[in-house]
Each structure stands twice: as structure tokens, then as C-alpha cells.
Amino acid sequence: MSASPPTTRKVTLSDIAAGCGVSRATVSLVLRGSPLVNARTRERVEAELRRQNYVYNRSAANLRRRTSSSIALVLNDLANPFFAEFAAGVDEALGTAGYVTLLGNSGESRTRQQAVLGSLVEHGPGGIILSPAEGSTAPEVLAAVGAQVPLLLFNRELEEAGAQDAHWDRLLLDNRTGARLATEHLLAQGHRRIAFFGGHGDSSSAQQRYAGYRDALRAAGAKEAAHWRVETAPTRLDAARQTERLFARAPAPTAAVCYNDAVALGLLLGLHQRGLRPGRDFAVTGFDDIAESAFSTPPLTTLATAPRERGRQAAELLLARLHDPQAPAQTVVAPVRLVVRESSPPPSDR
Amino acid sequence: MSASPPTTRKVTLSDIAAGCGVSRATVSLVLRGSPLVNARTRERVEAELRRQNYVYNRSAANLRRRTSSSIALVLNDLANPFFAEFAAGVDEALGTAGYVTLLGNSGESRTRQQAVLGSLVEHGPGGIILSPAEGSTAPEVLAAVGAQVPLLLFNRELEEAGAQDAHWDRLLLDNRTGARLATEHLLAQGHRRIAFFGGHGDSSSAQQRYAGYRDALRAAGAKEAAHWRVETAPTRLDAARQTERLFARAPAPTAAVCYNDAVALGLLLGLHQRGLRPGRDFAVTGFDDIAESAFSTPPLTTLATAPRERGRQAAELLLARLHDPQAPAQTVVAPVRLVVRESSPPPSDR
DNA sequence: CGCTACATTTGAAACGATCCAACGCCGACG
DNA sequence: CGTCGGCGTTGGATCGTTTCAAATGTAGCG
């Protein structure tokens, strides 16, 4: 038998063709399952494919066909379990549709995001799913991706969008309704002095959640106090640190709607440190329902966003757009579901 | 001015060349920063590139140059924060080296892993970083990736490896030493009845950690009891459920080395439910140092594995391999670091 | 037997970039 | 005046696949 040459070249269509005495065209037809080829020929070719251990070169095919079989996924924080779940959902749905995921992580850095987008676009993805870094503007994103490749925005809006927002689709969470539900739940429990805790005022999701909170308060005729709106970084650590600001002035709140679960978990910690017992002396709600929230002490009342399902949905929206590039841009607002656990009891001082 | 045609074609090298009256070859030279081209020509070409909003087609270039600018990353559980961090580290290092990450998630399913590997390989990645699904065998993985493309195994070994293990590099965690350190820490705290809790006996990492635990016990002359080795699924929920088995027979342990943090957190929960106060009546250690462990009640003594750093390291090992394909296969065992927190006090019954 | 119809197969031109050998030009040198 | 060397530039082949018009072969039919 012939020894394989020192540098094992990749085996191509031509090798197969030569190996069983047909033309490249025929082999190509076999590969693509065309009904044109004779059954016997097909078998010979398929045997040869196996024998030579052929692997299809999809890039070459994509080049010729002017198609793409990849989708870029660019996230603002892959290390965050919420986005990790989302990515898993995206990859799952793309995989079953025969696409491959090009991953990029901006880590909330706009400049890194630009670099990542630029580099991914050079690989010619069929579309892009982007959860933008905080503060990203429409012009900069459009400059990086161009107007040609379909873009699906997840989770956040772009700033300075102007009239350009017709150029992309959006999948957003129903932040406003979610925060309203949480607030209504606390109101129903009997709370009247309810704070809104955490998040940055200039992030669109924080604004929306804050708006939902105010909707509920206003509808119930409840008041707000200025020191009941405390901004923090959306991290556990900063939330724990800022806890005291809720109690800086009287009257102190008896409950808090938190920007997200990380902040809520931090608040639990901060309350503990002040000698308060969250779930008994003080009610707390979160947002996201990260895995941890079911196991915290006390387990956290929060809003489930089903990130994996969102990921699948995002992928499907984008694939639908690839299928019909001319359809008008759409915005889908995904519902969120209130999950009541033990962190949101009625007020204790009644 | 000329209206753009209805279907806006992608702009190519030839468009640029035609647009400023040079040949494609010259434009290519400009793109690749060759010193051969005249400064004035270069400027004209660069202006035209900007004017037409050219974007480089890296796949075409890769086809011609027989190179690759992507690396496949296939994980057994992307939704797990440990692997999400790892992925972020990989992507970061690959990105700065000019590579793009092709993501795949097997979700611990071997068949899905085979499908994912197959599909990714068709895109011609320069190499593969694989954290295999549990139970993956060397033959099946080799069949999917072929022997041509460099493979780096992370976190787990392949089964039925035989002599083939010379074909890939490995980056592993020092499981054995880590578990030994945890056990030694508990011994130093004065514990003598120490359990090993959680994990599946047939997973290589569980075996290694169990071995480290036994190393420490034996060195200290401490005994093991059969019911102190409790197997669980590596999840919080199952760990909580199985807690009682630790106390099924006397003598009960006063401390437990857990397979990982998820299991340890579940054990904390299970202990609570039995009326025990972990961190006071019972000592617990974990493994991984996931974000949550610093904030649990009590904060968890555990082994930090620095997943993001591991991700960067994996990427760099693979890139080094690309650079020198002939170098002998290497195995790197990454150290882990004991982080002592409040979950591992001395025994209370002394 | 000549002709059409049909079933297969194929040659060659793409896709968008790279690369190499060759070319034109110009001043210098013998 | 002829030719040599360098500098910039370029034509055309090439990477591995697809595609389409055209070629080939085979059979049926009048």
C-alpha cells in the first residue's frame, strides 16, 4: 500500500473525482444529493468519499455560492450567566438550522465591540446578533457592520438611533411590565414604602424598569421618596455597599424592587450586615431569575426571563429575516414571568 | 451621480482596482501593507477603499492562502458559569491574536458533540479547543476532527485513548492536588471524620479529586468510612437531596470535601434543612470558586481555578501548537489555589 | 436507418483574494 | 548607443466548490 506523503494535503473534490474516474462536477452533485446522478455512480463516489476521508470545505462553497453558513453573536458580557444561557440557546437553534456561531465578547467595552464586530464581519456572517455594550450608538454600530448584513439587537437599544432604527430587528425584554409586576406584588403584600434599588440611570433597561415601578406606584396612589431611588453598578458587590443609602433618611422603605438579581443578592447581603433579616423584616425582588436566586437565603422573588429560550428566539428571528430580507423591521418584546419566592413577605411592622 | 443598483453587491478588490485605475494585485498589496507600492498609489487606493466602503473577505483570502483565521471552541456545558468564563478567556486571547472563535455547545451529549464537531470542522478552523462531553472516547473524537487539525483537550481526558494520546495537547486542572489541599486544610482545622461528597465515580475529574482526598487522609493516618463517599449528580439540587446519606450511619462526619461548588452549595442547603449550621456545626469545602461562592452563607472555602485565565492559557497553548505543528504533544496541569472562607471552621464537638 | 427524447455526465467559467513571474520604464554605466 | 538594474505594477493562474450550457450515450419510434 502507498505510504501517505509527509505533508498530508487536504483531500478535495478533485481527489475524489480522480479516485473513481468521474468529473468534479459529478462528485459535487453527489455531495449535494442531486437526483440527477445515476444510482451506481453515486455509490461509487460515496465509497470513495469515505475511503479518502473527505471533509467538505464549506468556505469554498460559500464563496462560490455567495452564501453564508455562519451567524455572529456578539455579547456585552459572556461571563454573565444570563448571557451564557442566552448564548447556549442561540447556538442550539443556529446549530439545528445548519449554521455555525461566530462568537465575540465585548465585555462592555465599546471600542472592543467595534474591533470584534469588524473582525467578525470580515468572515462574512449571514447575520449578526448583538447585545450591545452599554452606551453604544447606532452610527458606530452601523459603521462597523455595514447596512448589508442583517442585524438583530438583543436586550438593549442603541443610542442616537434617529430614523435608522428601521435597519435592524429587535428582541427586547418587557422590562417595564416586569418591574410593574414586581411592584404590584409588593403593594399587594401591603407595602407602601417601596424603593427602587440599583442599576445605572443611563442604561435603557434600568430606565424601563424604573418606569414600570413608577407606573405601579402611581396606579396605586403610593408615594416615592427621592432617597428611595439608589443607583449602583449592576453588581452584587456595589449593591451591598450602597445598601445604607436606603436608610439614610426617614422614612425608610420596607421593601425594594431591585434592578436585577445580582443587585438583589447584594442587597440581601447588605441588609444582613445592617442586622436586618431580608424575607422577614424587609422585602426584596430581583429581575432575571438567575440559577442562584432559587437557592439564596431567602430564595428570591424575581422575574424569569428564560434566557435560553430568548436565545433560541433571537436565532429564529434572525433566520426569518435572512429568509425574507425585505420584510419590515420588527421589534419583539418578550414577556417576563413573576416568580414569587420567600424574599417578599408582607411588611413586619404592621 | 449614479444610483446604486437595487441589489447592492458586495464590493470587491476588483471594484476598488477599477475605481482608481490600478490592478487587483496592487490593491491587494496595499491591503496587506506591502512596502513595494509607491506612496502616492497607496494613498489613492486607500482613499478608494474608504470611498467604496470596502470590507475584506477573509474567507476568500484563507482559501487561496490555505490558512485559517478561526479556532473552534466546543464546550460540554456553556451555560455553566465556569465554562462561560473559560469561553470569555479563550475568545479574548484568540481575538487579540487575530483569530475568531467558532462556538459549539454539546450540552454533555456525545451525539450532539459529534454533530457539532463535524459541522465546525467543515468551516476549516485552524485548531480546536474541546472540553469533551462526559464519556467521550478518543476514537469518536478523532473520527470527527480528523488527525489534521490540532486539538487541545481541556478539563477532561478522553476514554479509550490508547496510544493515540500523542495526537493532542491537554490542559487539565490539578484536581488531585486541589482536593488534597482542601482535605489537609480540614485536617489542620482538627477534623478527623471527613466525607467526600458528590460527583460521579466514572468521571475522571471526580476520580482525581477523590484520589487527592484519600492521599491526604492516608498521609495523616485518618480513616475513611464507606458511607462518607456519597455520589451525586454535580448539581445543587441533587446534592441537597442526598445530604441525608452522610448521616445515615454512625459515626457521622464533621466535615465534607465536595466535588465542586455547586455540590457544596447544595450541601449547605441540605445541612440547613437538617437543622445543622454549616460554618459552625459542620465544615464544607468546594471546588471551582464560582462567583457565587464568595457570597453564600457561609462564604465557601474552595479551590480557585481561575477559569478566565485558563481560557487564555488554552488559547495560547493552541496558538503555540499552530506555530509549531511538529513539537511533541504536551500536557499542562494548571495549579489551583485554596481559598479559605468561613465554611470550614474547626469541629464544634471538641 | 435517421431522428428525437431522455438520462447522465462533464468542461469551463465563475466566487474574491493571493502570488509569482514577467513587464515597462528610467537613469546609469561602459 | 546598447544594456543592465531597480522600482512599481500587472496578467493570469490558483485555492475548492458550484453551476450551466453543452456533450455523450442510449433507447424508442416511425
Side-chain angles (χ1 to χ4, degrees):
Chain A
M1 67 187 219
S2 67
S4 56
T7 16
T8 344
R9 273 195 336 99
K10 226 168 258 173
V11 17
T12 78
L13 269 199
S14 311
D15 299 321
I16 304 299
C20 57
V22 298
S23 73
R24 299 204 310 278
T26 304
V27 181
S28 174
L29 290 177
V30 169
L31 280 179
R32 330 202 50 243
S34 159
L36 291 181
V37 315
N38 179 295
R40 288 226 305 282
T41 319
R42 171 184 308 273
E43 274 183 29
R44 270 191 325 170
V45 171
E46 280 171 347
E48 187 70 12
L49 286 170
R50 281 191 299 275
R51 198 179 71 73
Q52 295 206 32
N53 231 306
Y54 171 77
V55 341
Y56 188 66
N57 183 334
R58 200 168 291 272
S59 318
N62 282 333
L63 174 59
R64 174 61 229 252
R65 309 181 60 194
R66 300 148 142 280
T67 53
S68 172
S69 54
S70 61
I71 300 288
L73 171 63
V74 179
L75 298 173
N76 54 309
D77 185 11
L78 177 58
N80 179 328
F82 174 82
F83 290 108
E85 278 278 357
F86 177 80
V90 168
D91 186 65
E92 181 186 329
L94 289 184
T96 53
Y99 284 80
V100 123
T101 310
L102 295 175
L103 182 66
N105 183 29
S106 69
E108 295 290 14
S109 152
R110 283 166 63 187
T111 56
R112 180 138 180 71
Q113 171 173 286
Q114 291 305 90
V116 163
L117 283 174
S119 141
L120 290 180
V121 165
E122 289 186 351
H123 287 82
I128 302 183
I129 297 176
L130 171 66
S131 172
E134 205 163 317
S136 306
T137 68
E140 77 190 17
V141 168
L142 278 190
V145 312
Q148 305 306 330
V149 36
L151 176 64
L152 177 93
L153 227 57
F154 172 66
N155 188 50
R156 287 178 181 166
E157 302 273 10
L158 293 180
E159 302 187 3
E160 306 174 22
Q164 305 172 307
D165 59 355
H167 287 356
W168 56 81
D169 301 301
R170 282 119 99 219
L171 173 60
L172 302 171
L173 299 178
D174 198 347
N175 289 312
R176 188 161 184 164
T177 303
R180 181 169 60 68
L181 290 175
T183 313
E184 285 171 355
H185 164 66
L186 292 173
L187 287 164
Q189 292 284 58
H191 294 275
R192 305 295 292 174
R193 304 201 305 275
I194 304 175
F196 187 91
F197 188 73
H200 276 140
D202 46 345
S203 109
S204 68
S205 57
Q207 283 167 11
Q208 291 165 3
R209 292 176 191 182
Y210 182 56
Y213 153 84
R214 296 186 70 178
D215 290 347
L217 286 192
R218 228 169 307 167
K223 296 256 161 58
E224 285 184 82
H227 69 289
W228 296 350
R229 170 68 183 112
V230 174
E231 297 201 2
T232 73
T235 64
R236 191 159 0 198
L237 198 59
D238 196 46
R241 282 211 198 98
Q242 310 279 349
T243 301
E244 57 189 34
R245 288 171 52 196
L246 284 177
F247 304 96
R249 287 190 298 159
T254 65
V257 172
C258 291
Y259 168 65
N260 69 9
D261 282 0
V263 163
L265 293 170
L267 177 57
L268 295 186
L269 209 68
L271 290 170
H272 260 301
Q273 287 166 354
R274 290 185 62 87
L276 285 167
R277 294 165 305 171
R280 310 199 57 178
D281 309 328
F282 196 93
V284 174
T285 68
F287 207 114
D288 284 350
D289 194 27
I290 63 178
E292 189 171 349
S293 302
F295 299 99
S296 57
T297 47
L300 199 59
T301 294
T302 187
L303 291 145
T305 52
R308 191 179 207 106
E309 174 58 27
R310 294 302 139 248
R312 281 192 290 258
Q313 188 176 17
E316 271 148 26
L317 284 170
L318 187 56
L319 293 175
R321 158 62 28 137
L322 295 194
H323 190 258
D324 180 4
Q326 302 307 328
Q330 64 176 319
T331 297
V332 175
V333 177
V336 299
R337 189 171 52 81
L338 182 69
V339 179
V340 177
R341 299 205 185 93
E342 297 157 36
S343 69
S344 56
S348 56
D349 59 346
R350 256 209 297 206
Chain B
M1 67 188 215
S2 67
S4 56
T7 16
T8 344
R9 275 194 336 98
K10 223 168 260 172
V11 17
T12 77
L13 267 199
S14 313
D15 299 323
I16 303 299
C20 57
V22 297
S23 73
R24 300 202 315 280
T26 304
V27 180
S28 176
L29 290 176
V30 169
L31 280 179
R32 331 200 49 242
S34 158
L36 292 181
V37 316
N38 181 295
R40 287 227 303 281
T41 319
R42 168 183 312 270
E43 274 182 28
R44 268 191 329 172
V45 171
E46 281 173 346
E48 188 68 13
L49 286 170
R50 281 190 299 275
R51 198 178 71 72
Q52 296 206 33
N53 231 306
Y54 172 78
V55 342
Y56 188 67
N57 183 334
R58 201 168 291 272
S59 318
N62 282 335
L63 174 60
R64 176 62 231 254
R65 306 180 62 194
R66 297 145 145 281
T67 52
S68 171
S69 54
S70 62
I71 300 288
L73 172 63
V74 179
L75 298 173
N76 55 307
D77 184 11
L78 178 58
N80 179 328
F82 174 80
F83 290 107
E85 278 276 358
F86 177 79
V90 168
D91 186 66
E92 180 187 328
L94 289 184
T96 52
Y99 283 81
V100 125
T101 310
L102 295 175
L103 182 65
N105 183 30
S106 69
E108 295 290 12
S109 152
R110 282 166 64 187
T111 57
R112 180 139 180 70
Q113 171 173 286
Q114 291 304 90
V116 163
L117 283 174
S119 141
L120 290 180
V121 165
E122 290 187 350
H123 287 82
I128 302 183
I129 298 176
L130 170 66
S131 173
E134 206 163 318
S136 305
T137 68
E140 79 190 15
V141 168
L142 277 191
V145 312
Q148 304 307 329
V149 35
L151 176 64
L152 178 95
L153 227 58
F154 173 67
N155 189 51
R156 287 179 181 165
E157 302 274 8
L158 293 180
E159 302 188 1
E160 305 174 22
Q164 305 172 310
D165 60 354
H167 287 357
W168 56 80
D169 300 301
R170 283 120 98 217
L171 173 60
L172 303 170
L173 299 179
D174 197 347
N175 289 312
R176 188 160 184 164
T177 303
R180 181 169 59 70
L181 290 175
T183 313
E184 286 172 354
H185 164 65
L186 292 173
L187 287 164
Q189 293 284 58
H191 294 274
R192 304 295 291 174
R193 304 202 304 275
I194 304 175
F196 187 91
F197 187 74
H200 275 140
D202 46 344
S203 107
S204 68
S205 57
Q207 283 167 12
Q208 291 164 2
R209 291 176 192 181
Y210 182 56
Y213 153 85
R214 296 185 70 179
D215 290 348
L217 286 193
R218 227 169 307 167
K223 297 253 161 60
E224 283 185 82
H227 68 288
W228 296 349
R229 170 67 183 111
V230 173
E231 296 201 2
T232 73
T235 65
R236 192 161 355 201
L237 197 59
D238 196 47
R241 282 212 198 98
Q242 310 281 348
T243 301
E244 56 189 35
R245 288 171 53 196
L246 284 176
F247 303 95
R249 288 190 298 159
T254 64
V257 172
C258 292
Y259 168 65
N260 68 10
D261 282 0
V263 164
L265 294 169
L267 178 56
L268 295 186
L269 209 67
L271 291 169
H272 260 300
Q273 288 165 354
R274 290 186 61 88
L276 284 168
R277 296 166 303 171
R280 308 196 61 176
D281 309 328
F282 196 95
V284 174
T285 67
F287 207 116
D288 284 351
D289 194 26
I290 65 178
E292 190 171 347
S293 302
F295 299 100
S296 57
T297 48
L300 199 60
T301 294
T302 188
L303 291 145
T305 52
R308 191 178 207 107
E309 174 57 26
R310 296 288 87 74
R312 281 193 290 258
Q313 188 177 14
E316 271 148 25
L317 284 171
L318 187 56
L319 292 175
R321 159 60 31 137
L322 297 192
H323 190 258
D324 179 3
Q326 302 308 327
Q330 63 176 318
T331 297
V332 175
V333 177
V336 300
R337 190 171 51 83
L338 182 69
V339 179
V340 177
R341 299 206 183 94
E342 296 157 37
S343 68
S344 56
S348 55
D349 59 346
R350 258 206 300 198

